[in-house]
Amino acid sequence: MSEQPTPVATAHVTAPYGPLADALKTAAFGTVCATGPAQHAVLIEADDTGLTLRTHDWETAVSITVPTATVTRAGASLLPLAQLTKSLKAMMAGETKATAARTTVTLAGDLLTTDHLTVPLAALPVGEFAPAAKPSHVAAHLDAQDLYRQLQRVLPAACTDDTLPTLTAVQMTLEGHTLTLSATDRYRFAVADVPATPNPDHPATTPEHPLTALIPASVLNRIAKHLKTQTGPVAIAFGTPELTLTMGDTTFTIQPREGTLPGCAALFPTTVDTSLTLERATAQRALKKCAALITASGERGSPVTLRWDETGTLTLAPRIGEPDDLARIKGMPLTFATLHGPTPTDRELHTNPAFLADALAAFDATDTLTLHLRDPKPNSSLLPPLLLTTNPSPTGGDYRHLLMPVRVS
């Protein structure tokens, strides 16, 4: 006769609704790709260290401690996350936001109680929940807002075509005092650097031995929403193969994709023929007008044109209408200053307006927006890409964006 497993005591806790609801909202990041009832649930663990909520959908695991909670009995409970979240919200119906936030919620196993109501939930056996791997040793610490800012810059460049899974992810590479983020969809390549403080107890990284992981952009988009309100350090750990980010009371453990992105060093130029600074606000205004004209014309998919005339004046114009119309279109003048090389004359560059909009949005108001140009090679059909950086040097700054031009007939 086989031995029956010892029953696990259920968790009994109390907590204010506001912090508990916020924690459950973040915990939901770990159920997006869940299959099976147990992984759609939240594991509630109560012990002498406090209350911890855990979710795990095989792509992302989330662990959150709730400091404002009080443990009345140690134990564990596995509850459907959607049912728990919706029930809590329903029990706050009719209350002001402030009153709801401070309302005490009691969870005793599968019983959910407030001052007015008690309802049972459909608890699952705790043993059915598959936990995530234990996080690896911390490799470095990052500033939360630095990481958020640079993620916002590279994420738009990640591919959204699921038939190219490697390109739907962001390469995160730690080398020395820098975490480099890179993303590409084949038509653009964005790279951003985040200052890192290496953990002295972790082996040092070198160019020959960096730490790297290819993380789904969809996961990082969700984590960025949490990062937006965070301050202080973020601990990063590279496991085999999981990557872990810990900020405050929350830990995200992410399953990386297989493969790596193409090395940006081979794609980004180290020398250019002309470098010039653009006035970002004016360029954005001009682009909005051009994009609106393309939409109004019904010619969706048309590029915009950066044009230097015979005097070197730069304009941005929509490429719409018949060939005869194109010659009559006058673009909006853009303010620029040449830093290096000759000012182009009688030259046109065509680019996707949405991609250009993403690139311009990635630069802060305090950044120096520098556009680097290379002359076409003689007898070559290849069009040199546009390079935008936050530094007058093509290899400098904490952000670089390579934008492939559009070929027009």
Side-chain angles (χ1 to χ4, degrees):
M1 187 174 175
S2 61
E3 257 185 55
Q4 296 297 317
T6 304
V8 177
T10 56
H12 288 215
V13 297
T14 62
Y17 168 77
L20 181 59
D22 288 343
L24 289 170
K25 184 177 180 180
T26 302
F29 295 164
T31 62
V32 173
C33 300
T35 56
Q39 300 313 120
H40 275 288
V42 56
L43 181 64
I44 298 168
E45 294 181 329
D47 55 28
D48 55 2
T49 65
L51 170 64
T52 303
L53 309 179
R54 300 187 193 277
T55 54
H56 181 209
D57 66 0
W58 307 108
E59 182 176 68
T60 309
V62 183
S63 173
I64 309 169
T65 59
V66 186
T68 55
T70 301
V71 174
T72 54
R73 190 176 86 178
S77 303
L78 185 63
L79 302 174
L81 179 59
Q83 184 189 22
L84 175 56
T85 302
K86 290 177 182 178
S87 297
L88 273 172
K89 185 176 180 180
M91 294 168 86
M92 298 302 135
E95 306 292 351
T96 65
K97 188 174 181 179
T99 299
R102 60 176 180 265
T103 297
T104 298
V105 174
T106 299
L107 189 60
D110 65 346
L111 279 180
L112 184 61
T113 302
T114 66
D115 292 342
H116 306 107
L117 296 162
T118 295
V119 294
L121 303 173
L124 300 167
V126 170
E128 293 183 2
F129 182 81
K134 185 178 179 181
S136 298
H137 196 50
V138 173
H141 288 88
L142 321 162
D143 179 79
Q145 286 304 299
D146 282 344
L147 179 58
Y148 171 75
R149 172 173 172 260
Q150 301 296 49
L151 277 174
Q152 293 300 103
R153 287 176 151 177
V154 301
L155 283 168
C159 186
T160 56
D161 185 352
D162 289 335
T163 63
L164 301 168
T166 300
L167 301 188
T168 62
V170 174
Q171 194 82 43
M172 302 180 72
T173 302
L174 180 67
E175 183 184 313
H177 289 76
T178 303
L179 176 73
T180 299
L181 311 174
S182 55
T184 183
D185 60 2
R186 297 177 297 167
Y187 306 106
R188 48 188 169 164
F189 204 128
V191 179
D193 297 328
V194 184
T197 304
N199 184 349
D201 297 328
H202 192 278
T205 59
T206 65
E208 294 76 26
H209 299 94
L211 295 172
T212 189
L214 189 64
I215 305 301
S218 57
V219 173
L220 290 174
N221 267 309
R222 292 192 287 272
I223 291 176
K225 294 176 184 177
H226 184 76
L227 270 172
K228 186 176 182 179
T229 59
Q230 299 301 302
T231 57
V234 176
I236 187 169
F238 292 79
T240 50
E242 298 84 6
L243 180 128
T244 302
L245 296 171
T246 300
M247 56 208 80
D249 301 312
T250 304
T251 296
F252 298 95
T253 301
I254 310 158
Q255 187 71 26
R257 295 270 165 84
E258 294 183 358
T260 58
L261 294 185
C264 60
L267 299 173
F268 282 67
T270 56
T271 60
V272 293
D273 297 298
T274 300
S275 296
L276 53 89
T277 59
L278 282 177
E279 191 178 89
R280 174 174 170 265
T282 303
Q284 285 183 306
R285 283 175 53 225
L287 182 58
K288 287 180 180 179
K289 296 176 190 297
C290 292
L293 280 168
I294 290 171
T295 300
S297 72
E299 298 185 31
R300 292 185 181 274
S302 294
V304 291
T305 301
L306 286 164
R307 178 182 296 125
W308 287 266
D309 65 16
E310 66 280 358
T311 67
T313 299
L314 173 62
T315 60
L316 185 69
R319 188 174 176 81
I320 52 178
E322 300 299 324
D324 289 344
D325 298 325
L326 295 176
R328 299 165 63 192
I329 293 173
K330 292 185 178 180
M332 178 172 169
L334 301 184
T335 305
F336 75 96
T338 302
L339 300 174
H340 163 78
T343 299
T345 55
D346 289 324
R347 183 171 179 182
E348 290 185 347
L349 292 169
H350 313 285
T351 188
N352 182 307
F355 291 174
L356 181 57
D358 286 340
L360 292 176
F363 289 82
D364 295 335
T366 56
D367 287 332
T368 298
L369 172 55
T370 307
L371 174 63
H372 305 274
L373 305 172
R374 283 178 289 170
D375 296 332
K377 292 182 179 179
N379 304 318
S380 174
S381 60
L382 297 177
L383 297 174
L386 287 73
L387 174 62
L388 297 101
T389 72
T390 53
N391 187 287
S393 166
T395 58
D398 63 353
Y399 179 64
R400 289 87 72 200
H401 192 114
L402 200 67
L403 194 60
M404 298 304 297
V406 174
R407 186 181 296 279
V408 298
S409 56

